[in-house]
Amino acid sequence: MPREDEPMNRWELSETEARRLREFVSAMMLNGHVTAEIAGLRPIDLYVLNLLDLDGRATPSELARRTSLTTGAITKLIDRLARIGLVERTPDEEDRRRVWLTVSDQASSHVGKKADLFAPTAKRMDGLISGYPEDQRAVLLDFLCRATTELRKATEELQQARPRGARQ
């Protein structure tokens, strides 16, 4: 049995580091699921709203690619979010075939800077990060940026390796 500080398997993280990272990811996923449930949404709904809020707008095909949903599934999801007033469709001024999706003003209670829904989590994360000295906060920001990039790359690899027909 490896010591707690020894690197595990083929990776360079110690058992403790790997466990803490897994615990963080698990807590983050559960928080997202519970947050969506409280909002009366599915986790994928909240994820799509967050993508739209972060990016400002997207097309249905862009969302299908980023969520790994089929175009049919993303259309149903968008229809549902539009029906309850959380997403707005705007025709592209230059290409009539294209539609842009944005979050509605009503959705601001679910995503964005004014979202009460995320207030408990945001307050705790703000307090946690703000408690670090500036130089350590810079390291945290660097980690978050680099981890986001690596997670996106890993997700793309998984999507490309997935057998055809295995989409949701």
Side-chain angles (χ1 to χ4, degrees), residues 27-107:
M28 189 171 57
M29 291 175 65
L30 179 60
N31 182 272
H33 283 269
V34 171
T35 302
E37 181 183 315
I38 289 169
L41 300 171
R42 299 174 185 166
I44 190 70
D45 298 340
L46 198 56
Y47 178 65
V48 165
L49 289 171
N50 195 46
L51 288 176
L52 290 173
D53 184 62
L54 288 169
D55 295 345
R57 67 179 190 170
T59 64
S61 59
E62 290 169 349
L63 289 177
R65 181 183 52 76
R66 291 187 65 192
T67 59
S68 271
L69 294 175
T70 62
T71 53
I74 201 70
T75 298
K76 286 181 182 178
L77 186 150
I78 293 164
D79 287 346
R80 184 174 63 252
L81 293 177
R83 194 171 38 255
I84 59 176
L86 300 179
V87 169
E88 295 174 351
R89 292 179 171 105
T90 306
D92 188 296
E93 294 177 9
E94 298 174 12
D95 184 349
R96 294 183 326 164
R97 297 168 295 174
R98 183 183 304 177
V99 174
W100 289 104
L101 304 167
T102 56
V103 293
S104 68
D105 290 339
Q106 179 183 337

Side-chain angles (χ1 to χ4, degrees), residues 120-155:
T121 302
K123 183 178 179 182
R124 288 179 179 277
M125 294 298 103
D126 183 87
L128 176 66
I129 294 169
S130 297
Y132 284 89
E134 284 299 319
D135 60 328
Q136 291 181 2
R137 287 172 71 171
V139 173
L140 288 171
L141 180 60
D142 178 64
F143 170 78
L144 291 171
C145 292
R146 291 170 61 186
T148 299
T149 298
E150 293 304 317
L151 282 171
R152 286 180 178 152
K153 288 178 184 177
T155 301

